[in-house]
Amino acid sequence: MRSTFMGLEINKSGLFLQQSALYTTGHNIANANTLGYSRQRVNMQALPGYPSPGLNSPKMPGHLGTGAEAHSVQRVRDEFIDRQYRQETNKLGYWEEQTKAIEQMEDILSEPSEFGINKSFDNFWQAMEDVVANSKDTAARQVLIAKARALAESFNYTDKQLKTVQSNLGAQIEADTNTVNSLLRQIAEINRQIMAVEPNGYVTNDLYDARDVLVDKLNEYLPVQVERVPSGGNASPVSEGSLTITYRPVGSAEPIILVHGKEFAEISINNASGKINGTEPLEPFTEMLVDWKGSALADIVPPIDKLNSGAVLAINESYDYSTFEPGKGKLLSNINSYGHSNGQGLYPEMLDKLDQLVETFVTTFNALHQSGYGLNDSTGQDFFEAGGLTAATIKVRDDILPEDIAASSELGEQGNNKNILDMAKSQTEVQVGLNGATYQGFFKSMIGDLGVRGEEAIRSEYNSGTLRLSVENKRAAMSSVSLDEEMTNMIMFQQAYNANARMITVVDETLDRIINGMGRVGL
């Protein structure tokens, strides 16, 4: 037999349910501007009808509803959009760092300008033409030596500045590595909290949001994938479990695990001398080391067998440059700029080309100078230091005098300027050591290549940023708090709450009639 007060119970459940929905709406409004917050909703469901099935249950022409309850409070997310967002974040992170590295190089080379290497070459050749015009003029010869020293110092300065930025990139790689390790550690810590709470039936929506913010951030540095692992126990059907973070090296059939439950690996970015940290010597990248030495491996290995991805636990495993997925993540971008295998990389390649230019120029110019005679009949002398064959070491001889400049091609013919004409002509001669280009032609091609790379980086950064913004807008439309929508929900739940309260009043009046009004005939 049903209860006399069943109507009160039905609408009491309605009051509690609408109250929960109002509280959730209030939580959404309060977090409208919280970073990474996902709007939440109350999943409502009807309570089991009366009577419950059974041989001895009372017979009725149907089930009577018994009210409603909150099944769960769930955040509104779309995993497909999250995956798209993180993929575009990988690309944007890579091209943002490339653009910065190239802009810094362009600032150092400062071309075209009145102060760069190209202008120093122009000044040097102009000073040489002045000596050609008046080969016995000591002042013109002194100016030529000064312009040569200015040219050498331009190379020295450029080389030093490029190596300073390369060192800074090494320090940035260390900072990036520390950031990645910190993110892995934080994700594992949130996993630990979730794994402790979920088996009791609670849904930790705010912890899920905090963890997703960390995963988004991690994808700026390294392209990783996520896999959910149920917490077990009495976990809610809408609980999300712990996250296993994996990274798939190129060419490997199986991804490697970086975070599993509350355990996590540490990565290090190394060169031949140890971790890359921007200190001398600036040796190229050799390996990314993944190490689980700080974790309790016995606690990790058994659950891994249950993963669907077939991921493996990499214990003290190293991965070379070829295993990085091209064009993804800040970490790879900074490695590409800093330098990796076989002298490749933005800055090592530019430094090598400068050295190639200096070696060819100094070797050729000294050879021509050695074949001539100075005003004091000196011959066989170098103009530049013989050992200065790199951009860092190029230097005009300290002891060279204006009369030592070998302008003449014949001994005793001080007015003969044939040799310095040959030296001046080398300005326009193609050099085998420079891939068939002139000195300045080779340098200009270096600047042109850099400009093309810079243009590509800016275009790719713009495209990646546009695509990520598009995905970000879709994600915001799905998961972020819309105050208009929440206001609508607030009114809807308030009206439902009021209706339930009114129903309780109606039932109360009905019961009052039964209790106080029935059986009192004539009163």
Side-chain angles (χ1 to χ4, degrees):
M1 183 177 180
R2 65 188 179 197
S3 168
T4 303
F5 302 101
M6 183 175 175
L8 290 175
E9 289 297 325
I10 290 173
N11 293 109
K12 187 184 77 174
S13 71
L15 279 179
F16 287 161
L17 177 58
Q18 303 307 323
Q19 198 173 40
S20 297
L22 277 171
Y23 289 164
T24 302
T25 300
H27 185 55
N28 287 341
I29 293 172
N31 286 282
N33 296 319
T34 301
L35 177 65
Y37 179 79
S38 304
R39 66 189 173 96
Q40 298 174 9
R41 68 182 177 208
V42 176
N43 293 324
M44 304 179 182
Q45 67 178 16
L47 288 168
Y50 177 85
S52 55
L55 289 175
N56 298 321
S57 297
K59 303 302 179 186
M60 293 183 64
H63 269 169
L64 277 179
T66 58
E69 65 176 356
H71 172 263
S72 58
V73 180
Q74 184 178 18
R75 65 183 189 142
V76 181
R77 297 284 290 204
D78 187 320
E79 282 191 46
F80 178 73
I81 295 177
D82 283 344
R83 195 176 302 117
Q84 279 187 314
Y85 178 83
R86 287 163 189 162
Q87 287 170 350
E88 295 306 325
T89 298
N90 296 154
K91 297 173 187 172
L92 180 60
Y94 179 88
W95 288 113
E96 278 181 341
E97 293 301 296
Q98 279 293 287
T99 301
K100 288 179 189 173
I102 292 173
E103 284 178 348
Q104 286 178 309
M105 181 176 284
E106 289 175 337
D107 290 343
I108 293 170
L109 292 171
S110 187
E111 297 289 351
S113 74
E114 295 295 318
F115 310 101
I117 290 176
N118 193 51
K119 185 63 178 177
S120 295
F121 260 124
D122 287 342
N123 293 338
F124 175 71
W125 298 123
Q126 181 60 50
M128 187 164 291
E129 288 177 8
D130 292 342
V131 175
V132 170
N134 191 354
S135 61
K136 294 183 179 179
D137 186 350
T138 303
R141 286 169 175 258
Q142 186 63 53
V143 169
L144 174 60
I145 294 173
K147 295 298 181 184
R149 289 193 169 122
L151 175 61
E153 288 169 0
S154 294
F155 277 111
N156 299 156
Y157 173 81
T158 303
D159 180 89
K160 182 180 179 181
Q161 292 302 310
L162 289 176
K163 287 176 178 173
T164 299
V165 175
Q166 188 185 16
S167 173
N168 293 340
L169 286 167
Q172 185 61 47
I173 289 172
E174 183 184 33
D176 289 349
T177 306
N178 292 337
T179 301
V180 168
N181 287 330
S182 173
L183 291 169
L184 295 177
R185 183 167 55 252
Q186 292 178 65
I187 292 170
E189 171 58 22
I190 293 181
N191 272 348
R192 186 190 65 76
Q193 297 177 39
I194 290 172
M195 291 164 67
V197 173
E198 281 189 343
N200 299 310
Y202 299 113
V203 180
T204 56
N205 290 312
D206 296 331
L207 284 178
Y208 301 152
D209 284 340
R211 186 175 60 185
D212 279 343
V213 169
L214 296 175
V215 174
D216 289 346
K217 189 72 176 174
L218 180 60
N219 271 278
E220 289 182 15
Y221 295 89
L222 202 63
V224 297
Q225 293 79 43
V226 299
E227 183 173 351
R228 302 191 188 284
V229 180
S231 296
N234 191 31
S236 166
V238 299
S239 64
E240 299 185 9
S242 63
L243 283 189
T244 294
I245 307 291
T246 59
Y247 170 74
R248 184 184 292 276
V250 173
S252 172
E254 298 171 327
I256 58 174
I257 299 173
L258 300 178
V259 174
H260 183 67
K262 61 183 180 181
E263 308 294 342
F264 59 94
E266 287 190 354
I267 68 168
S268 56
I269 304 298
N270 299 334
N271 57 20
S273 300
K275 292 183 180 179
I276 295 176
N277 54 17
T279 58
E280 298 286 349
L282 300 176
E283 296 176 332
F285 163 84
T286 54
E287 64 171 5
M288 179 177 77
L289 190 67
V290 180
D291 196 357
W292 282 81
K293 60 186 178 184
S295 298
L297 298 179
D299 295 336
I300 301 169
V301 176
I304 286 176
D305 297 336
K306 300 176 183 178
L307 292 180
N308 297 324
S309 62
V312 298
L313 188 65
I315 302 173
N316 209 23
E317 292 283 343
S318 65
Y319 302 89
D320 61 23
Y321 179 80
S322 65
T323 60
F324 281 90
E325 191 170 357
K328 290 190 174 181
K330 288 183 177 181
L331 201 53
L332 175 62
S333 179
N334 284 327
I335 290 172
N336 277 340
S337 299
Y338 173 82
H340 50 92
S341 48
N342 301 321
Q344 296 178 56
L346 180 64
Y347 279 77
E349 289 175 12
M350 180 58 75
L351 287 166
D352 284 347
K353 286 179 180 177
L354 280 178
D355 289 346
Q356 182 182 354
L357 173 58
V358 168
E359 181 178 4
T360 304
F361 173 66
V362 170
T363 303
T364 305
F365 196 85
N366 275 348
L368 290 169
H369 191 266
Q370 287 173 10
S371 65
Y373 297 87
L375 288 175
N376 52 7
D377 292 335
S378 61
T379 188
Q381 295 185 351
D382 289 328
F383 186 86
F384 293 95
E385 293 281 359
L389 297 179
T390 66
T393 58
I394 180 175
K395 184 179 180 183
V396 177
R397 281 176 43 221
D398 290 333
D399 57 349
I400 194 168
L401 299 173
E403 52 268 30
D404 289 336
I405 296 175
S408 173
S409 62
E410 298 294 339
L411 179 63
E413 295 183 3
Q414 298 176 348
N416 178 347
N417 61 3
K418 185 178 178 182
N419 194 56
I420 199 165
L421 272 173
D422 289 341
M423 287 191 283
K425 281 168 55 182
S426 68
Q427 174 187 6
T428 56
E429 291 175 346
V430 296
Q431 305 294 327
V432 175
L434 300 179
N435 306 325
T438 63
Y439 303 124
Q440 286 173 270
F442 183 78
F443 182 71
K444 289 176 180 176
S445 72
M446 291 164 54
I447 301 300
D449 290 342
L450 179 63
V452 171
R453 295 180 73 163
E455 186 178 10
E456 180 192 2
I458 292 172
R459 183 173 59 251
S460 297
E461 181 187 359
Y462 175 79
N463 292 339
S464 300
T466 303
L467 288 172
R468 195 183 77 160
L469 180 61
S470 174
V471 178
E472 189 174 6
N473 289 337
K474 289 181 182 176
R475 186 160 80 164
M478 168 66 68
S479 302
S480 67
V481 175
S482 165
L483 290 177
D484 292 340
E485 185 178 343
E486 297 302 328
M487 289 297 290
T488 303
N489 288 339
M490 184 181 70
I491 294 170
M492 181 174 67
F493 297 138
Q494 183 190 25
Q495 292 295 326
Y497 185 90
N498 292 340
N500 278 284
R502 181 59 184 162
M503 276 300 300
I504 289 176
T505 302
V506 169
V507 174
D508 179 58
E509 291 174 354
T510 306
L511 293 175
D512 179 67
R513 172 60 61 184
I514 294 172
I515 296 169
N516 299 319
M518 291 179 70
R520 302 179 66 186
V521 179
L523 293 178

